[in-house]
Amino acid sequence: MPTASSSPPRPQVSHHFVLFSSPKKKPASRTSTTTDYAEMLLDKDLDTLKDKWCYPDRPLMINQKYSYKLLSAISPDNFSLIVNDWTSLLIQRQIKEAMNLHLQDVAGCAPVDVACLKDGLPVTVKFKDGKLRRAEVNLVNEKGVNVYMVDSGVDILVSADSIYPSSTELLRLPKLSLMCRLAQVVPFEEKKKWKKYDYKSLFQGKNTSVFEISFIDREVSEVRLTCDKKDVGFEMVMNLGLADFVPLITYGTNDEGPQMLGKYPRYDYSDWIGQKIGVFGTKISKVGSNFKVHLQLHPSIMEAVDAGLLTYDSTSNDAKDFSKDIGDAVLVAYGEDKMNYRATIFQKSRDGYLVKLVDYGDFVNVQEKDMLKIPNELVEIPEAATPCYLAGLMAADPNKLPSDEAIKGKLMELIIEKNLECYLGLVGFIDGVDPREFRKCIVTLASEEGKPLLRNFGLRKPNLCKYYTNVDHEFPMIDQDLAKELFSGPSAYMSGVQYEGVVSFIENYDSICIQLEGDDHRADGLSEELTEFLNIWNNVPQLDPSSLINGTYVAARQNIEDDLSYYRAKILEACPDKDEYKVVFLDYGNYDVITSTMIKPLPSYFCKDKAFALKVSIPIKVLPGVSEDEVYHYIEKFTEEQELTVYLKTVDNLIYAWTIRMDKMLTTSLIEGKNPLVKLSMPAPTVPLKN
């Protein structure tokens, strides 16, 4: 039989997103009648409440598809929905449990003093049925209090005497509703208001409803909707006459110059999130409190531009004789060598023209004699220079940074005209200074050799440290009951659906662990972040061996000399007398026997993602005369270092998997040939097309 220890795969590129952290469960015996938040609200401690307390938004990934249920729809600029998945059901259950406890706490308490009801304050509202529901205060006037119901997505008017404090437990749980506006479209014929229409029926499909977030601005998500496999924005424009598409020619303010009107298309880098790409730095500027960096993110763009410029004839009569208006795309001869650059006209005066070099981000002044008519094939190529913000600087404490002049000088030395490595963290970032220029990205840069670019600034990697810059903070170890609930809940992957994935561990000939839909990269990224955090956490508590019992969730290393990484793990067998602990690595599925020195506490922050290794069964039985080892090694060879298609089906509470490689099914391969190795324990299904 195979050995029980197997190393998790090593990461190549690894970024991950995390879900919410659920609150600890309430203890059975309770001594206080109000929570910290309620006490401060009743005591009118508004200075503390204003900045510290709010209902959190549920973190969702940009440009990932989610099934949804529509909650309300006033217009394409004002509607709300709820994600239709198991996580929402879990949040609903936790809200119900926390609300039942809170209802006991506020029994006999007076409503919140109306003087405390400030815009955005999280509260609970008591209805005629005696039940409390979560809300945020919008507006207080003589008619009453307008509140936003954070879990049902509607604004309602209530009386001031129906408003009660929230609880600390309720404030830990994300809002169920998502405030949205529809992406890609504007009101028909440039009208200011949307036409009256039954948007509720338009935004909710009869069979399927899916949304994707383009970007988030001031807590409102701009989303694309697909109902019954039809793009809602496209339907509104092409078939219903309710809207026009947002044109590619978009306006936006710019910190270096006047209002901007560009005619070049802009490349959508959304699919590149989490990827490592080679980039070239062209410009540094200060925008508000942040530094903006212009990067050429796509090398093929500049290759196409250079090829077009080589064939351009600047001596023809048409090259000079053309109209020149603000917003036009042009070529300009600039610099001592009078090289041609693509540009957009921003301003014209008696002294010449102010233009932006769209492939570099620079604003320069040129004379009319240096302007050339640009051919259409060069206008059709996207702008090469993309404005970006550096994640490390955004996450840093500004009080601990050098002066602006020192930062800018160092960034120019490190970035300008340098080839760099870049990780895209967010596309379509909105900032307060430049809010309508929505193509900005947030990036992490490294040198061409892979050295972190901001190391000399003394900045940490912008992960957990973005939220806790003081690493002396006392992070609690995950509550074990909560960890069990988070890790042992239902899989996010559905029965009867086909996925892409890899095999991370083979436990036996009929039992394997798989990582689906990019979870292998997410697992590696989470391990990297966990390892870095534990290495810089100054006061990691020492674990008492008596607490290391069967079923405890911990951070653990492998019993491999050159692997110093920490992984999320669960203790299966504890032998403290021998200082031996058998653990399973939750994100890969493999086992190891380690000592207590290889175990550290697992903070709650790192339990927001479910385990990335999904344990599944293969529906086969070994034939008489065939060794299990032979079948094991066949499966190992079939799945080794291969991207597979995996079809899942749940039968009698067991998840079975049919794995396919290059249109060949594993179970079929095992039973075909002159010497079949196994027989099927259930018939092979008709595998549908990929979901």
Side-chain angles (χ1 to χ4, degrees):
M1 293 295 291
T3 59
S5 179
S6 174
S7 174
R10 308 306 303 160
Q12 294 181 354
V13 178
S14 52
H15 275 247
H16 76 287
F17 298 87
V18 294
L19 290 178
F20 68 97
S21 179
S22 302
K24 293 184 178 181
K25 290 185 176 179
K26 276 279 189 180
S29 61
R30 295 155 50 82
T31 56
S32 65
T33 57
T34 56
T35 59
D36 296 339
Y37 174 82
E39 287 171 354
M40 282 188 285
L41 186 51
L42 292 173
D43 292 341
K44 305 178 185 179
D45 187 1
L46 298 181
D47 290 336
T48 303
L49 291 174
K50 184 173 64 174
D51 298 323
K52 185 175 181 182
W53 299 96
C54 65
Y55 294 116
D57 292 312
R58 173 179 167 180
L60 296 170
M61 284 188 264
I62 302 291
N63 293 298
Q64 175 165 313
K65 293 181 179 180
Y66 295 92
S67 175
Y68 73 87
K69 178 183 177 183
L70 189 69
L71 295 175
S72 70
I74 298 173
S75 74
D77 284 340
N78 185 1
F79 62 95
S80 61
L81 52 82
I82 180 174
V83 182
N84 191 14
D85 64 359
W86 179 85
T87 301
S88 291
L89 294 176
L90 175 62
I91 299 172
Q92 285 176 318
R93 193 181 78 215
Q94 292 173 323
I95 291 172
K96 183 178 179 181
E97 292 173 353
M99 193 65 81
N100 288 338
L101 294 170
H102 183 55
L103 196 57
Q104 300 172 28
D105 284 343
V106 298
C109 290
V112 178
D113 189 326
V114 69
C116 297
L117 299 180
K118 304 298 182 182
D119 183 24
L121 187 72
V123 295
T124 57
V125 177
K126 180 175 281 191
F127 287 81
K128 291 181 179 179
D129 58 5
K131 292 183 178 179
L132 292 171
R133 291 175 177 83
R134 302 193 304 167
E136 289 176 347
V137 175
N138 281 339
L139 180 68
V140 182
N141 56 32
E142 64 279 1
K143 295 181 180 180
V145 183
N146 183 276
V147 295
Y148 173 66
M149 307 306 295
V150 299
D151 299 318
S152 57
V154 294
D155 291 309
I156 62 173
L157 186 68
V158 299
S159 61
D161 59 6
S162 67
I163 296 182
Y164 288 81
S166 187
S167 70
T168 307
E169 289 74 17
L170 287 169
L171 284 159
R172 289 193 179 111
L173 296 169
K175 304 173 188 175
L176 284 171
S177 69
L178 189 69
M179 296 174 61
C180 302
R181 62 171 173 260
L182 191 63
Q184 304 170 318
V185 296
V186 293
F188 184 59
E189 294 182 341
E190 300 183 357
K191 294 180 180 178
K192 293 183 179 180
K193 293 185 178 181
W194 290 96
K195 181 180 178 181
K196 289 185 178 180
Y197 191 81
D198 183 10
Y199 292 107
K200 192 167 185 178
S201 61
L202 181 61
F203 291 176
Q204 182 70 66
K206 294 181 178 179
N207 298 310
T208 59
S209 301
V210 176
F211 78 94
E212 300 174 73
I213 299 175
S214 298
F215 63 89
I216 301 173
D217 179 17
R218 300 170 183 86
E219 299 185 0
V220 177
S221 298
E222 183 158 305
V223 301
R224 296 183 291 270
L225 301 182
T226 305
C227 294
D228 297 329
K229 300 183 179 180
K230 292 182 179 179
D231 185 298
V232 172
F234 182 87
E235 288 292 305
M236 290 176 63
V237 174
M238 304 302 294
N239 297 326
L240 299 175
L242 296 171
D244 289 320
F245 285 122
V246 175
L248 282 176
I249 304 172
T250 56
Y251 288 91
T253 57
N254 191 285
D255 58 295
E256 298 95 339
Q259 204 169 52
M260 165 183 172
L261 175 62
K263 289 190 176 180
Y264 302 94
R266 287 161 179 174
Y267 193 88
D268 183 2
Y269 292 97
S270 300
D271 292 338
W272 296 30
I273 289 176
Q275 301 299 310
K276 179 175 73 174
I277 56 178
V279 302
F280 184 76
T282 62
K283 186 187 177 187
I284 307 291
S285 59
K286 185 79 186 307
V287 179
S289 60
N290 292 309
F291 281 90
K292 185 166 69 176
V293 180
H294 278 79
L295 302 172
Q296 294 175 353
L297 296 177
H298 197 317
S300 298
I301 292 178
M302 281 309 298
E303 291 172 6
V305 171
D306 291 340
L309 290 174
L310 281 175
T311 60
Y312 179 69
D313 182 9
S314 61
T315 62
S316 67
N317 293 331
D318 292 340
K320 294 282 187 179
D321 186 16
F322 66 101
S323 62
K324 306 168 185 67
D325 295 318
I326 292 176
D328 283 346
V330 294
L331 288 179
V332 297
Y334 181 71
E336 293 181 1
D337 50 7
K338 294 296 182 182
M339 289 185 62
N340 290 337
Y341 296 88
R342 296 194 305 161
T344 295
I345 299 174
F346 270 70
Q347 198 175 59
K348 59 181 179 179
S349 66
R350 297 177 183 176
D351 299 325
Y353 291 80
L354 175 69
V355 301
K356 180 181 180 182
L357 307 182
V358 298
D359 298 319
Y360 298 89
D362 294 294
F363 285 83
V364 299
N365 289 293
V366 296
Q367 300 300 313
E368 185 171 5
K369 64 182 178 63
D370 294 323
M371 302 175 72
L372 304 169
K373 185 176 181 180
I374 187 169
N376 288 335
E377 55 267 27
L378 280 173
V379 180
E380 293 170 356
I381 302 172
E383 298 179 6
T386 300
C388 303
Y389 288 111
L390 301 180
L393 286 179
M394 295 183 73
D397 182 350
N399 296 321
K400 297 181 180 179
L401 290 174
S403 66
D404 287 349
E405 293 76 13
I407 294 176
K408 186 172 183 178
K410 193 63 177 178
L411 290 178
M412 292 185 69
E413 176 188 337
L414 294 171
I415 293 174
I416 299 301
E417 297 187 6
K418 298 288 195 304
N419 291 308
L420 305 165
E421 286 185 357
C422 172
Y423 292 88
L424 281 180
L426 178 66
V427 172
F429 173 69
I430 304 295
D431 66 88
V433 177
D434 196 1
R436 300 194 65 186
E437 167 63 276
F438 56 83
R439 66 189 179 112
K440 295 185 291 290
C441 302
I442 295 180
V443 300
T444 302
L445 294 179
S447 67
E448 200 171 17
E449 296 77 28
K451 179 182 177 182
L453 202 68
L454 301 181
R455 179 176 292 176
N456 293 338
F457 288 103
L459 303 179
R460 305 185 183 98
K461 179 182 174 183
N463 45 38
L464 180 57
C465 302
K466 175 180 177 181
Y467 308 100
Y468 295 103
T469 53
N470 176 15
V471 197
D472 292 323
H473 185 86
E474 188 174 330
F475 294 91
M477 183 171 175
I478 181 70
D479 176 82
Q480 293 300 311
D481 288 337
L482 173 60
K484 183 178 180 180
E485 183 174 352
L486 291 174
F487 286 123
S488 61
S491 167
Y493 299 103
M494 296 179 290
S495 179
V497 176
Q498 187 175 343
Y499 297 97
E500 300 297 320
V502 297
V503 172
S504 59
F505 177 63
I506 303 176
E507 182 176 11
N508 211 325
Y509 77 90
D510 61 351
S511 178
I512 61 176
C513 291
I514 53 179
Q515 296 167 320
L516 301 177
E517 299 291 319
D519 278 350
D520 51 337
H521 296 301
R522 297 184 186 98
D524 294 341
L526 190 147
S527 174
E528 281 191 352
E529 187 175 352
L530 175 62
T531 302
E532 180 181 7
F533 175 69
L534 290 174
N535 287 339
I536 62 175
W537 185 7
N538 295 334
N539 56 347
V540 181
Q542 296 298 315
L543 291 174
D544 186 343
S546 63
S547 68
L548 301 179
I549 59 176
N550 295 356
T552 303
Y553 292 89
V554 295
R557 285 169 39 203
Q558 291 193 108
N559 202 357
I560 299 176
E561 185 176 353
D562 59 351
D563 185 2
L564 301 179
S565 298
Y566 282 90
Y567 307 92
R568 301 190 300 176
K570 178 183 178 181
I571 297 176
L572 299 179
E573 298 176 13
C575 299
D577 295 340
K578 299 180 180 179
D579 195 25
E580 291 182 352
Y581 300 87
K582 182 179 180 181
V583 299
V584 57
F585 295 101
L586 300 171
D587 299 315
Y588 301 90
N590 59 308
Y591 305 92
D592 207 345
V593 177
I594 61 178
T595 65
S596 58
T597 59
M598 301 176 181
I599 300 175
K600 289 190 177 182
L602 183 63
S604 303
Y605 174 88
F606 293 97
C607 299
K608 300 174 196 175
D609 289 301
K610 293 186 64 63
F612 291 121
L614 181 64
K615 189 172 182 179
V616 298
S617 299
I618 304 175
I620 56 175
K621 292 183 179 179
V622 175
L623 291 173
V626 177
S627 74
E628 294 182 357
D629 281 353
E630 186 178 359
V631 179
Y632 172 91
H633 290 302
Y634 187 96
I635 295 173
E636 186 178 42
K637 186 175 181 181
F638 185 93
T639 60
E640 186 176 21
E641 296 183 0
Q642 294 285 340
E643 289 248 349
L644 306 169
T645 300
V646 181
Y647 174 72
L648 301 178
K649 188 173 182 180
T650 303
V651 180
D652 296 332
N653 295 322
L654 286 178
I655 303 176
Y656 287 91
W658 284 263
T659 57
I660 303 166
R661 186 190 73 186
M662 299 177 65
D663 297 328
K664 190 74 170 179
M665 191 176 288
L666 170 62
T667 50
T668 304
S669 301
L670 286 165
I671 62 176
E672 285 182 345
K674 296 181 179 179
N675 300 307
L677 301 176
V678 302
K679 64 179 180 179
L680 298 179
S681 59
M682 67 176 65
T686 301
V687 178
L689 296 175
K690 187 176 186 295
N691 187 43

